[in-house]
Amino acid sequence: MSGFSINRRQMLGLMGGALAAPAIIGKARAAEVTLRLHHFLPPVAPMHKAFFEPWTREIRKQSDGRIDIQIFPAMQLGGKPSQIADQVASNVVDIGWTLTGYTPGRYPVAETASLPFMITNAQATSVAMHKFMDEFGQDEYRGMKPLAFHVHASGKFHMRDKAIEKQADLEGLQIRAPNQSFGRALSILGAEPVFFPVTEMAVGLANGVIDGTCLPYEVVPAFKLHELTSVHCSTPANARGLYTNSFALVMAGDAYDGLPDDLKAVIDANSGLDLSRRIGKQFDTFEDVGRKMCAEHGNKFVEIPKAEVDRWQASSQPVIDDWIETLNDAGHDGKAMIDRINQLIDAETA
């Protein structure tokens, strides 16, 4: 004898595993299409857990299991965040979620929503951005099927110790800028914008290299901003927010075109304007958790007066003027487009 023996419980366990195996295999075979979704956030991020996971489950359910979407967070399929759109266009991945500011000037229509003092709230501005892209941005994502366009909630000043209530308070402060256009606005307003990856921001705040940063409350838990800063300054609800960033959720054209019509209908039903609205609303909700953490830590909250925000917006007009030229150079009527996106944002916010 070899000395190998097995008791009744072990035998039943093996039999149960054998019986379960066909069910697992059957489930795997049920998916006619497997799509790979690539994004740059970690799996603990609110966007991953509160949107991507339920959205992919909904598509699987509505397709009776025929579409399986596998999510690869944190750039697990390789490359850099700035390369996600190229990965989709070249069919390296089937669906990608990308930040337009990672490729400055490449998608100027989509990037327009991330100009300074453009946002009101994430839901209204996301709907406005999607409508704006329907009108002007159809050619920007050639070879791809856009699923949604949206923004995150308005950025706030998160400061180590100094409150920002007027322009003079910004003078000489080193503030981490979230994108190039708002960095220019900060410079116009007297601050010294600092550009480095958000992953290095916490060290900069802890070491006093920067006096503050501008981000939505959404990122507070991930970077423990409630511990690294003591005062949070935001614009009032009846004024434009400081800044936002715009995003595109896009699908490879070949992946979409290769679906049978009934599965295309499932994708269509889970994309478009309503999806942009949904994502924007979720980003507004994400703010509550981070703000609550700051409050529980005993931090101070400051609201910048609307009249002051209006002055800042007027002072930042050179940034807008330059962007109008960028749009003109891309073959658009830049002034008309800026006027139009503002009209859409005001209409959706009202």
Side-chain angles (χ1 to χ4, degrees):
M1 298 292 291
S2 64
F4 176 83
S5 64
I6 185 167
N7 61 33
R8 179 179 174 82
R9 181 175 295 178
Q10 290 171 319
M11 177 63 75
L12 289 173
L14 289 172
M15 290 174 64
L19 290 171
I24 295 172
I25 294 171
K27 183 177 180 181
R29 286 177 177 170
E32 294 178 19
V33 178
T34 299
L35 303 173
R36 301 196 301 173
L37 189 161
H38 205 201
H39 72 78
F40 54 88
L41 292 179
V44 297
M47 184 65 176
H48 179 94
K49 299 190 72 66
F51 172 69
F52 284 124
E53 289 185 346
W55 181 67
T56 56
R57 285 196 299 266
E58 291 161 16
I59 290 175
R60 186 178 301 115
K61 181 178 180 180
Q62 292 173 30
S63 68
D64 294 325
R66 293 167 62 200
I67 299 177
D68 181 35
I69 301 179
Q70 299 176 349
I71 311 172
F72 295 86
M75 302 305 298
Q76 289 178 353
L77 296 178
K80 300 176 182 179
S82 60
Q83 297 171 323
I84 288 179
D86 287 330
Q87 291 177 342
V88 175
S90 59
N91 297 296
V92 173
V93 303
D94 302 297
I95 301 173
W97 182 61
T98 179
L99 180 72
T100 63
Y102 282 157
T103 51
R106 182 172 178 182
Y107 303 104
V109 182
E111 202 175 343
T112 300
S114 61
L115 291 171
F117 305 103
M118 191 65 70
I119 184 173
T120 53
N121 60 68
Q123 179 176 328
T125 308
S126 294
V127 172
M129 180 190 174
H130 194 107
K131 291 182 176 180
F132 182 71
M133 291 300 293
D134 281 346
E135 292 184 27
F136 301 102
Q138 291 296 311
D139 293 334
E140 282 208 330
Y141 290 89
R142 285 184 293 273
M144 293 174 262
K145 176 180 173 58
L147 303 179
F149 295 105
H150 70 93
V151 300
H152 64 57
S154 172
K156 288 83 179 172
F157 286 123
H158 305 277
M159 308 300 296
R160 280 167 50 88
D161 48 37
K162 184 175 182 180
I164 306 298
E165 297 180 83
K166 56 186 182 300
Q167 183 172 342
D169 296 332
L170 287 166
E171 192 68 37
L173 294 184
Q174 293 199 332
I175 298 177
R176 189 257 175 189
N179 58 39
Q180 293 290 329
S181 62
F182 192 68
R184 282 200 58 206
L186 283 173
S187 182
I188 290 171
L189 295 172
E192 297 180 16
V194 178
F195 297 94
F196 50 61
V198 69
T199 51
E200 299 175 16
M201 173 193 62
V203 175
L205 285 169
N207 294 340
V209 173
I210 54 175
D211 299 294
T213 187
C214 192
L215 289 165
Y217 282 119
E218 171 214 349
V219 303
V220 167
F223 296 101
K224 297 184 178 180
L225 281 182
H226 58 300
E227 298 177 3
L228 296 170
T229 59
S230 65
V231 57
H232 312 275
C233 316
S234 61
T235 62
N238 62 344
R240 292 292 183 94
L242 297 173
Y243 92 100
T244 188
N245 277 312
S246 54
F247 300 80
L249 180 64
V250 290
M251 183 173 179
D254 288 350
Y256 177 79
D257 292 339
L259 296 175
D261 288 345
D262 58 340
L263 293 187
K264 285 180 181 176
V266 174
I267 296 296
D268 292 345
N270 289 276
S271 61
L273 185 62
D274 286 342
L275 187 63
S276 296
R277 179 182 288 108
R278 170 180 169 177
I279 299 174
K281 183 177 181 179
Q282 287 191 290
F283 268 99
D284 285 329
T285 302
F286 295 160
E287 293 296 274
D288 297 338
V289 175
R291 193 182 193 286
K292 183 179 179 182
M293 292 179 71
C294 295
E296 291 176 345
H297 198 256
N299 292 1
K300 179 182 178 181
F301 297 92
V302 170
E303 184 173 278
I304 305 165
K306 182 180 185 302
E308 186 69 12
V309 177
D310 291 343
R311 284 192 289 271
W312 293 5
Q313 186 173 356
S315 297
S316 301
Q317 186 61 38
V319 181
I320 308 300
D321 292 339
D322 285 351
W323 197 253
I324 288 173
E325 291 304 314
T326 296
L327 292 170
N328 289 343
D329 291 343
H332 303 289
D333 184 340
K335 176 65 166 58
M337 290 174 65
I338 293 294
D339 290 344
R340 180 57 177 155
I341 194 169
N342 278 302
Q343 290 170 357
L344 289 167
I345 291 170
D346 288 341
E348 293 300 327
T349 304

